[in-house]
Amino acid sequence: MNLHQERAAAVRRLVDEARGIEKSGVTPGSLEKIGGLLSALAARAELFPPDEFPLGPDGGIYRLSEDPDHRFALYASAGGPGKKVPPHNHTTWAIIAGVHGAERNVVYDRLDNGARDGFVQLREAPAKEKMLRRGDVIAYLPQDFHHIETPAGSGNALHLHFYGLSLEHLPDRVSVDMATGAAKRFMAKAKILTPLLTVQQLKAMLKSGEVFAFFDVREEGEFSIQGHPLFATPLPLSRLEPRVLALLPDPETRIVLMDSGDEGQSAGRANRAAARLSMMGYNNVAVVKDGLKAWRDAGYEVFTGVNVPSKAFGEVVEHGNDTPRIDAADVQKLLDSKADMVILDSRPLPEFTNMSIPGGIDCPGAELVYRVKDFVPRPETLVVVNCAGRTRSIIGAQSLINAGLPNKVMALKNGTMGWHLAGLKVARGETKSFGPQGPEAARFAQAAAANIARKMNIKKIDKAGLAKLEAKSGPLYRLDVRDPAEYALGHLKGFRHAAGGQLVQATDQYVGARNATIVLHDNDGVRATMTAHWLMQMGWAETYVLDHKAAPAELTTESEPRYPKRFTVPTTKSVTAAELHTSLAATLVIDLDTSLRYRDGHVPGAWFAVRANLAKTIPEMLAKQKRVTRIVLASPDGEIAALAASEAEAAAGGLPVAILAGGTAAWRKAELALETGHLRMADPPTDVWYRPYDFKEDVEAAMRQYLDWEVDLVPQVERDGDATFAVLKAAAGAGGGH
């Protein structure tokens, strides 16, 4: 384990043991036991490098751990020479231990009986005073008063502060004016920070092969438009809770968070995300100091767009293999001449149905090698593979070539976008797709997969091998790469669905930790092997294929959990669609869905807003919509609305807040009227990435810009230098021809 893993594990052990001790009651004896544990942790000063906990403009209190109910909150508190905090209480138990430097703890006896509001009479108790240095500890009961100071000339100090309840949830905590006895709320708005990491340190981690998660917590549209480091994974603050477990199943893994760097350290979205992660059990977290701004200022490469590592890899594959390609106009000529040709669309069925090449057949990514012989029994048949743009066309065509298909195989240059730009008509509403795999397709697929496995030295494991990987520390991604319908009928417990083609096309939507271990599974190894051979070329060295034919009794139809065990979606007051419909005039309805789906249909009169910005936008919306008696939050199924309810309540100025039960889906089900368009926008539509065909205007310009962007990724990746792509060269003449 590295330093940060050791710290996270040590913190977790401390908190777990403290929970057990506290169950016997909050007494001097129980606090002494917890204090002994805290002292042992503080004595390991190497776990708390001072540069990760600097004293800055926003103070120096750094969160190390906090339970979902805000209990057992552990902080590292930095103080400069001469720091002095006024006498105060805690209203919960508190224990302090020294790590670096010295901290003087002055203790007070309370003389009054507490009968007067806003008045406290204290007297110093010199005999109880204690100077804390490394490993020294002092404990306080809820009613105790003290103050701390860092001696002048002693240098900066760092101490661990452990509380029974978090600092943000101590409303009765007071500080005392010793001259008058006046007591007032103490630290009403505590600025709690997260350990810091410089961009130089982050760059070194990206090159080191270290296992860690690197999340950018801006909205997806900001991530795409403003740019980001190549291997940053988008995890928008607005949608963090339901996404993080799938992206990072191991809570001990190091997490690095980035935002724009323009919002300040304490108010920045990265710091806010760290707080949420801590309450979900993720405590090994650092924030990139000054965020993307610092990354740019350091001269490091910034990439626009989404799924960039995968799309850049697709371009590198085409460049390295000179993957055969064909223009839309040439395909149309072949169609007109009724040439011996099949067009296979490598996208999921919903994308295919939305827009496809006339005469095409849907056969997504990993299904191509598995089923190709069902569509092309004759070696003379030309096979054209397409997607919406470039990546899945290239990877799909090259998959068939790498598999040794004797047919001529070509990628449709620029996919359906290229078809549209050529002035050709796309098909809409098509559903022609694959059926059950035939025997000839099975024979070809098995032989091809076995050959690829030998060539790539793909690591196969059995159930015992899987158990060994599960017993190791670090993030393990267990992914079922079959078709969604097959997965739904039954899968091994613990395996999430990630259709093989989509996993290669958008790896950062499924795997959130760099250099993690990945185990792939299907029914016979073909789709897992083909997917593994691409992931290994992308740099995922620890990729395994589970060689196990699952018995019916091993399969489940249950979905994998969306949230860590410690976390539950809060319950909040709700209103039905019918109830909301009758009171729209007096209700501020806030739609927290994406701006794209808001545009396509929302509750009449609703505002669009981004969850992460509600503290700012709710007062603005209330100022513009008069005579409001309540606020109702809407989201697709009500989940994001429920997660956002407490944030809305804090900004609502006392107005009641409820959520739309069942979300906008329930509104639609009730067949109530919908309003369309970007009508009331509390935030700009930069929350999600708009695909070129999502635009209502200038669609062709958006398509051209997107296709040019994909092609230009190759030189940019080379300049960046962090990618470890190693492209397999196909055998000469395989699938040949241009």
Side-chain angles (χ1 to χ4, degrees), residues 132-180:
L132 301 183
R133 294 183 174 83
R134 183 175 300 177
D136 295 331
V137 67
I138 191 169
Y140 298 99
L141 291 165
Q143 68 272 21
D144 291 339
F145 281 81
H146 82 132
H147 87 252
I148 58 175
E149 57 186 64
T150 305
S154 65
N156 287 349
L158 186 72
H159 287 64
L160 299 183
H161 289 229
F162 196 14
Y163 298 90
L165 195 62
S166 75
L167 290 174
E168 299 106 318
H169 295 83
L170 302 175
D172 299 323
R173 195 180 185 209
V174 297
S175 64
V176 180
D177 184 326
M178 291 295 291
T180 65

Side-chain angles (χ1 to χ4, degrees), residues 617-639:
T617 57
I618 284 181
E620 295 172 350
M621 287 182 277
L622 288 172
K624 293 175 180 176
Q625 185 170 328
K626 308 296 185 181
R627 296 182 295 278
V628 168
T629 60
R630 68 175 177 181
I631 296 172
V632 172
L633 305 178
S635 62
D637 59 2
E639 182 181 42

Side-chain angles (χ1 to χ4, degrees), residues 613-620 622 631 645-655 657:
N613 298 336
L614 287 176
K616 172 179 176 291
T617 57
I618 284 181
E620 295 172 350
L622 288 172
I631 296 172
S646 62
E647 301 154 41
E649 287 169 354
L655 284 175
V657 175

